[in-house]
Amino acid sequence: MRLTVLGCSGTFPGPDAPCSSYLIEAEGFRLLLDLGSGALGSLQRHVDLLDVDALVLSHLHGDHWLDAAPYAFTRSYHPTGPAPRLPLLAPGDARDRLALAQGGVDSVDRAYELRALAPGSAEVGPFALTFARMSHPVETYGVRASYNGRTLAYSADTGPTGALVELARDADALLCEASFPEGADHPPDLHLTGSEAGAHAAGAAVGRLLLTHIVPWGNPRCTLDAAKSAYDGPLELVQPDAHYDI
């Protein structure tokens, strides 16, 4: 499968990066993981607006879902006519949140076939997906996507948790948030530092660590160096429009 980074900025868009959004493709099937602020623009550089087959929203903080609201309008009122309803897997109150952001439920219901996320497994197109609750203030799910013997794990947003280690166990790649700087007294159950992301990757014995969700005022080089101190496998900071063969 192929991973394309549409957006990787944490909390708010940076000068060169929209917020979290990742496109996974296999057998011509296109699955979006999150669609944060600004990512709908990036999507158009890679695929046609209507050529998405499913969308997963890991949680309902705006930097992971807000562009799903204008995307509902896009799919409902496209000049070629309404697109087929898109499977949307998201926490249970997604419909209400989308309706508030979009100004009503009409385009939301026309655009999306909503399915409530829960811990467990699901088949979406060619992908076998596994969802696990992460350590974050709102209902949040990490995602494990497997296809043809290859596996990508995605942390979503989380503080330190053994659930992420188990979700990512032996994955070929872990796409992991690393929002917090080292050495500060951070709130619990919110985000990871670079060294914590590295420690989770090492504990899960993943093949590669892809660091993401760096806040625009952060220090990416320090985050990368901190992750290297805890994980000795291949790792890098993802960039918008980067492609990875998993």
Side-chain angles (χ1 to χ4, degrees):
M1 59 184 149
R2 191 181 212 206
L3 165 68
T4 300
V5 178
L6 304 179
C8 53
S9 184
T11 306
F12 60 96
D16 302 309
C19 288
S20 295
S21 187
Y22 311 94
L23 177 66
I24 305 176
E25 299 173 87
E27 296 183 10
F29 191 95
R30 292 170 171 143
L31 169 66
L32 278 177
L33 291 181
D34 288 336
L35 195 57
S37 310
L40 190 56
S42 297
L43 176 67
Q44 296 170 72
R45 291 199 293 270
H46 298 278
V47 300
D48 184 273
L49 276 170
L50 301 185
D51 286 347
V52 173
D53 298 294
L55 170 60
V56 172
L57 299 179
S58 65
H59 66 294
L60 299 181
H61 280 158
D63 58 330
H64 290 257
W65 75 271
L66 272 175
D67 270 22
Y71 192 43
F73 180 90
T74 302
R75 295 187 67 88
S76 298
Y77 300 106
H78 195 274
T80 60
R85 294 174 74 205
L86 186 72
L88 170 56
L89 288 74
D93 57 348
R95 181 175 182 266
D96 292 340
R97 297 285 195 91
L98 283 162
L100 284 171
Q102 192 58 25
V105 298
D106 290 349
S107 62
V108 176
D109 288 343
R110 276 195 292 267
Y112 296 127
E113 176 191 325
L114 275 96
R115 307 174 190 173
L117 276 181
S121 300
E123 299 291 328
V124 178
F127 300 106
L129 303 182
T130 301
F131 305 102
R133 285 290 296 266
M134 296 291 101
S135 181
H136 203 53
V138 300
E139 184 183 3
T140 302
Y141 294 90
V143 184
R144 182 182 178 97
S146 298
Y147 167 76
N148 197 28
R150 306 293 289 178
T151 297
L152 169 70
Y154 171 48
S155 69
D157 283 4
T158 187
T161 174
L164 176 58
V165 174
E166 292 308 311
L167 184 73
R169 180 75 63 193
D170 296 324
D172 297 285
L174 169 59
L175 179 63
C176 189
E177 74 117 285
S179 307
F180 278 155
E182 304 295 320
D185 186 16
H186 299 302
D189 303 321
L190 190 57
H191 291 297
L192 299 174
T193 65
S195 63
E196 288 169 340
H200 283 68
V206 302
R208 176 166 43 165
L209 174 58
L210 303 174
L211 297 169
T212 191
H213 204 270
I214 310 299
V215 180
W217 55 53
N219 188 322
R221 175 51 57 184
C222 287
T223 298
L224 184 65
D225 289 344
K228 287 179 178 178
S229 73
Y231 175 73
D232 61 6
L235 78 165
E236 62 184 278
L237 291 158
V238 303
Q239 301 294 329
D241 302 312
H243 300 286
Y244 300 91
D245 290 324
I246 306 299

